[in-house]
Amino acid sequence: MPRSYFPIPARTFPLSTLTVSVLLATAPLARADTSDSQLQTVTVTAAPTAARAQQRTVVDSSSPIDIISNDALVKTGRAELSEAIAKLLPSFTFGTNIAGFNSTTRPLSNRGMGPEYTLVLVNGKRRHLGASIQSGSTDNSGANVVDIDMIPISSIDHIEVLKDAAAARYGSDAVAGVVNIILKAQDAGGHIESSYGELFSGEGATKKIAADEGFKLGDGGFLHLSADARKRGYASWDGKADSTVTAYSDPAKEAAWDRVAIKNGDPELKAYNLGYNAELPVNDVTLYSFGTYGERKAVIQNYYRFPNGTAAVPSIFPDGYYPVNNLRDIDYQFVFGGKGEVGGWDYDLSTSYGRDTLKYSSSLNLNPSLGDDSPTSFNNLATFRSDQWVNNLDFSRRFENPFNLGVPVTISTGVEHKWERFSTFAGSADSYETGTYNAASGAQASIIIRPEDEVDLIRNTYASYLDLGFDLTNRWYADVAARVEHYDDYSGNKLGLKFNSRYKLTDTVAVRGTLGTGVRAPSLTQEGYTTTDSRVNTDVNGNVVPATTRLTASDSSLAKALGGSALKPEKSQNIGLGITWQPAPRTSVTADAYVVDIQNRIALTSAIYDHGDGTINSILASQGVASGTWVDYYTNAFDTRTRGLDVVADHTTPFAQYGDVRWSAAFNYNKTTIIDAKDTPASLADAGVTLVGRNREGDLTDALPKTKFILGANWTVGNWNTNLNTTRYGKVSTLAVNESGDRSFGAKWLTDLDISYTFFDHLTLSVGGSNIFDVRPDKNAVYSSLGLAPYGNPPFYPGGGSWYTKIAYDF
């Protein structure tokens, strides 16, 4: 069975089975077994029990932990891992970034905080960051985060989700929690499956094939290989252009035009992922390695460039054109390590290297200012690269009565070195140069890196930790931890502290709680990423308008002239308090409340542009920037407070010859408030500019639902299995700088259904649907005469319902 890598301290565990407290994303120490063939999940425990096997949430841990099985992931009916997780966990929200170059990376928001606040581990080891920058829709943090869709679902045994602020235990990026992806570790047998599905609209056809198989390796080792490949078709839900829009001067062509002015939506996608997981005992050391490799290609649609518009070159495209962005994403990570025992201490030594490279190109496009000399394709618009190399050495040992304290203590300690690099590479000159033809400049609908915008940012982080776990009584467990981090681009050391405890009130009821602090340095992208964007931006009323926007570093001379300064690290404090109840072996309920404060929270400024009095244009001219340019930068915009409640309940009802039904219910309440916001400099305020306005506040306070319910039932009878889930997403709002531009979107219920039958104990056929009642968000976005984004930025997929079929064979 697979290992579990979370430290889940509780007095009911014999501490010999406790894992190391992984402040540095430590490695596994103990193999645990389970009899739960349905869940195929396990967490660290004293011994396998029927009660543990039935849990979907862990009741006997001192921190709130949820478990997601591979079976639950695939029954969501979606091909991407990130959306599957959001469908199963109430505190997670799946982003809908459906426009332009960011549309392939969908951020996961946990507990109302951005993806940069949730640490992702694979087999207990830190996963590397992706190269995509979070910008657009509801997340404008500028962070680059883990792209978990590059991990094959076929390689995953289960996922353990620590829903607790854990910066002092796991590192500065674990403010909202930790997602720990456990890879399959079987040394025999395998699985192969193929599926097909599409949206009810007929668009977005998705084909997928996946397989995995285990092999014995040496004496007592294993090698498990996994692979999947998928192809997804283009899908759009934009409206048509209204009668005020004219594309052609020729009346006959205008009458024949289909009035499709926008093709934003889900891009056409082709992707494959490979993975392996291996262990080999050699004398007193167990060597291990695991890794993934993935490639993803996307074809991203954009606005129609009208034949009578400023981006037209009639001699090349007499009927206008829809520029196409092409993305190639190459992502890999490999981990190597060894573990064993020396001098009574368990140790783990590992090294990990990961890289993600995004390369953008474009076809069916023009640099209109070059006129007839413009190419119609651009093989190199920009390249983004993120590298991360992490080294860990961890020790753990149990002492029965150290220093005559009278209680058993588990001591965990270790050190970590993390090297990270973010680089951008300029595109070809013909994509950004300005010609003599009287038309728009630069390749259209594109993110372009110019030579002056290239960055090569490097950071070394050194960390050490100490964790002490105390069995104070038979009912009371307590854990204290401290972590010190040093960033070579910031002065001083950053200290994180945490106290965590669980007390068993009765045989079925326990209380648990956490106090913690943490410090998070700005990501390299937040510090230094710069670009010039010739697409569109949003004005003070929430209207989407054409704009040339320059993103500049916060400490550049341009930013300083507009109120900017060097970024400061974010500081966090958290309080958590929960109760667990297990009245029967087949029933469990957990409820956990939390408060997380973040100071110096980083966000993108509102767009800074001239409102007509010439003030901003004068500042731009003094910095050598063209008049009419819009500018933004990242700043320590807010102090925030996030308050919430997670409730998870799970119960199994046996119906004899009619099988078993496993009922589940989950609820999350989450509210973020702005405690303090950065003031607008007087020089900008006098020009009518708000530095961080209501639109940026709304990204944090209103863009994500405050409530989310998930109700589920899984019925197994004989060879039949039926899985039904319904999810309610609370209302959301999009705020504009001016209140008149605000928009609200009502709460919605979405229902998913999966029905499967197993033949001959090995062959399983499944049919199912996601959002089977074809529920759409409210059409309440800012009106666009072109038909842009009528559903705004909803917290769930706006393309409506879909169906799928699947055949799987286990051997």
Side-chain angles (χ1 to χ4, degrees):
M1 292 302 295
R3 297 178 183 271
S4 174
Y5 301 85
F6 267 152
I8 308 177
R11 177 59 188 91
T12 54
F13 302 163
L15 286 180
S16 59
T17 64
L18 283 175
T19 55
V20 175
S21 178
V22 207
L23 303 170
L24 307 173
T26 97
L29 293 177
R31 181 178 299 272
D33 296 319
T34 180
S35 58
D36 187 3
S37 59
Q38 177 189 6
L39 277 182
Q40 299 179 13
T41 62
V42 62
T43 53
V44 179
T45 183
T49 65
R52 168 71 69 182
Q54 295 300 320
Q55 290 182 14
R56 177 242 185 255
T57 182
V58 182
V59 295
D60 48 0
S61 68
S62 59
S63 296
I65 296 174
D66 275 354
I67 306 296
I68 305 175
S69 68
N70 179 276
D71 187 54
L73 289 171
V74 299
K75 286 184 181 298
T76 62
R78 302 297 299 183
E80 286 80 12
L81 178 57
S82 55
E83 187 176 1
I85 291 174
K87 280 177 169 286
L88 296 168
L89 295 178
S91 62
F92 280 80
T93 302
F94 174 67
T96 54
N97 208 342
I98 54 174
F101 83 109
N102 270 341
S103 56
T104 59
T105 302
R106 308 296 172 85
L108 272 174
S109 175
N110 181 24
R111 289 186 163 181
M113 290 177 273
E116 67 271 26
Y117 300 111
T118 297
L119 174 64
V120 177
L121 310 176
V122 176
N123 278 2
K125 300 294 182 181
R126 181 182 293 269
R127 181 73 176 179
H128 70 282
L129 300 178
S132 179
I133 291 88
Q134 296 304 311
S135 178
S137 297
T138 61
D139 186 354
N140 286 282
S141 66
N144 58 319
V145 297
V146 174
D147 186 354
I148 62 175
D149 289 337
M150 302 302 281
I151 301 172
I153 293 182
S154 60
S155 71
I156 299 172
D157 185 89
H158 69 281
I159 300 176
E160 301 173 353
V161 181
L162 173 63
K163 303 179 301 182
D164 197 8
R169 293 176 64 89
Y170 294 91
S172 60
D173 45 0
V175 174
V178 182
V179 174
N180 190 17
I181 298 171
I182 311 301
L183 302 180
K184 293 178 180 177
Q186 290 82 2
D187 62 5
H191 175 90
I192 185 170
E193 67 177 54
S194 179
S195 63
Y196 177 85
E198 60 185 44
L199 296 172
F200 291 166
S201 65
E203 295 183 304
T206 299
K207 305 173 185 177
K208 181 178 178 182
I209 186 168
D212 70 270
E213 185 172 2
F215 305 89
K216 294 183 181 298
L217 187 63
D219 185 10
F222 67 86
L223 171 65
H224 204 100
L225 303 177
S226 307
D228 64 35
R230 67 184 187 275
K231 179 179 180 181
R232 186 185 69 203
Y234 163 76
S236 176
W237 40 88
D238 291 302
K240 298 289 186 74
D242 66 21
S243 60
T244 66
V245 177
T246 302
Y248 296 87
S249 56
D250 183 338
K253 287 187 175 182
E254 178 68 19
W257 177 39
D258 62 7
R259 312 205 67 76
V260 175
I262 294 172
K263 290 188 175 182
N264 285 350
D266 252 349
E268 178 183 325
L269 192 71
K270 296 179 181 179
Y272 72 87
N273 298 314
L274 307 173
Y276 75 92
N277 187 24
E279 281 191 8
L280 178 63
V282 178
N283 297 324
D284 295 330
V285 179
T286 297
L287 303 177
Y288 63 87
S289 179
F290 55 91
T292 62
Y293 178 90
E295 290 196 19
R296 179 169 60 199
K297 296 180 180 180
V299 178
I300 304 166
Q301 303 288 341
N302 288 285
Y303 281 74
Y304 183 34
R305 266 51 180 182
F306 296 135
N308 63 355
T310 60
V313 180
S315 60
I316 300 179
F317 291 126
D319 294 324
Y321 57 101
Y322 297 92
V324 173
N325 291 339
N326 301 304
L327 165 66
R328 187 184 183 197
D329 189 349
I330 300 176
D331 183 282
Y332 59 82
Q333 180 169 349
F334 300 100
V335 178
F336 300 90
K339 57 192 175 184
E341 182 181 330
V342 58
W345 289 81
D346 292 316
Y347 71 87
D348 187 299
L349 175 65
S350 67
T351 186
S352 169
Y353 185 82
R355 168 179 285 184
D356 184 42
T357 302
L358 303 175
K359 183 174 183 179
Y360 292 93
S361 59
S362 185
S363 55
L364 297 175
N365 202 348
L366 294 174
N367 180 344
S369 70
L370 300 179
D372 292 344
D373 294 329
S374 173
T376 57
S377 62
F378 301 89
N379 294 327
N380 182 16
L381 293 172
T383 300
F384 300 75
R385 178 173 293 161
S386 176
D387 297 88
Q388 188 168 280
W389 178 34
V390 182
N391 299 287
N392 293 93
L393 175 60
D394 302 284
F395 294 92
S396 180
R397 183 173 180 179
R398 162 141 171 112
F399 294 90
E400 292 301 324
N401 186 21
F403 310 112
N404 295 317
L405 293 177
V407 296
V409 179
T410 295
I411 301 177
S412 302
T413 188
V415 293
E416 177 186 73
H417 168 248
K418 179 173 64 175
W419 176 88
E420 52 188 327
R421 184 177 194 172
F422 177 77
S423 311
T424 59
F425 304 88
S428 57
D430 55 11
S431 69
Y432 58 80
E433 63 186 353
T434 300
T436 58
Y437 191 75
N438 186 22
S441 176
Q444 295 297 288
S446 300
I447 285 288
I448 301 169
I449 299 295
R450 304 168 186 255
E452 61 268 27
D453 291 330
E454 286 186 326
V455 297
D456 188 15
L457 307 170
I458 296 175
R459 172 186 290 159
N460 286 278
T461 305
Y462 305 90
S464 62
Y465 74 93
L466 177 65
D467 184 280
L468 304 174
F470 300 90
D471 282 278
L472 299 175
T473 72
N474 288 335
R475 293 182 175 272
W476 188 11
Y477 175 82
D479 181 90
V480 293
R483 176 185 178 92
V484 178
E485 292 183 314
H486 176 76
Y487 304 93
D488 64 0
D489 53 349
Y490 285 91
S491 61
N493 298 318
K494 313 304 178 187
L495 175 65
L497 300 171
K498 184 170 183 177
F499 173 76
N500 176 247
S501 186
R502 179 179 185 269
Y503 187 81
K504 195 171 182 181
L505 298 173
T506 71
D507 290 341
T508 61
V509 178
V511 293
R512 57 193 180 189
T514 299
L515 296 172
T517 66
V519 180
R520 176 187 174 272
S523 67
L524 295 179
T525 52
Q526 292 171 323
E527 281 191 336
Y529 170 57
T530 62
T531 188
T532 301
D533 187 341
S534 59
R535 299 178 301 162
V536 295
N537 211 317
T538 305
D539 68 14
V540 295
N541 294 314
N543 298 304
V544 178
V545 297
T548 297
T549 303
R550 180 165 178 78
L551 171 64
T552 186
S554 59
D555 60 351
S556 68
S557 60
L558 174 58
K560 289 179 178 178
L562 296 169
S565 60
L567 293 174
K568 296 180 291 186
E570 299 174 330
K571 298 180 180 179
S572 64
Q573 299 87 39
N574 68 280
I575 300 174
L577 182 63
I579 187 168
T580 67
W581 181 43
Q582 190 168 22
R586 292 175 175 264
T587 305
S588 61
V589 181
T590 63
D592 293 276
Y594 53 90
V595 178
V596 182
D597 287 352
I598 302 177
Q599 289 82 45
N600 303 323
R601 190 161 179 175
I602 298 169
L604 187 67
T605 64
S606 300
I608 303 170
Y609 63 96
D610 198 277
H611 287 210
D613 67 353
T615 300
I616 302 302
N617 282 338
S618 176
I619 296 175
L620 296 178
S622 71
Q623 298 295 317
V625 178
S627 295
T629 300
W630 295 33
V631 179
D632 46 31
Y633 56 86
Y634 296 105
T635 186
N636 296 108
F638 304 112
D639 293 345
T640 65
R641 173 166 293 167
T642 300
R643 289 174 286 190
L645 174 68
D646 282 320
V647 180
V648 179
D650 183 72
H651 175 72
T652 300
T653 304
F655 290 102
Q657 69 268 31
Y658 299 106
D660 294 344
V661 177
R662 183 168 187 172
W663 313 93
S664 61
F667 168 76
N668 174 257
Y669 168 80
N670 196 87
K671 182 178 181 180
T672 296
T673 55
I674 305 295
I675 299 174
D676 193 18
K678 186 171 183 176
D679 293 331
T680 300
S683 59
L684 299 186
D686 292 343
V689 173
T690 302
L691 188 63
V692 282
R694 297 178 68 257
N695 58 334
R696 293 295 175 251
E697 293 182 9
D699 289 344
L700 304 179
T701 61
D702 293 85
L704 299 177
K706 291 182 174 62
T707 59
K708 182 179 174 184
F709 294 92
I710 303 176
L711 302 175
N714 185 276
W715 180 26
T716 302
V717 53
N719 291 340
W720 288 95
N721 181 273
T722 301
N723 193 76
L724 178 68
N725 280 286
T726 186
T727 303
R728 181 190 183 275
Y729 296 87
K731 69 177 183 178
V732 297
S733 297
T734 300
L735 305 188
V737 174
N738 291 333
E739 192 172 347
S740 60
D742 292 354
R743 295 292 183 272
S744 295
F745 304 84
K748 300 293 181 181
W749 286 92
L750 275 66
T751 303
D752 303 331
L753 176 65
D754 180 276
I755 301 173
S756 63
Y757 185 84
T758 300
F759 298 87
F760 318 117
D761 296 328
H762 296 286
L763 182 67
T764 302
L765 300 179
S766 303
V767 295
S770 179
N771 187 8
I772 60 176
F773 298 115
D774 200 25
V775 175
R776 303 290 184 107
D778 293 338
K779 285 189 175 182
N780 194 33
V782 174
Y783 180 75
S784 168
S785 60
L786 301 177
L788 173 67
Y791 301 122
N793 296 308
F796 57 87
Y797 184 75
S802 63
W803 61 268
Y804 62 88
T805 61
K806 182 175 65 177
I807 184 170
Y809 181 73
D810 291 282
F811 56 93

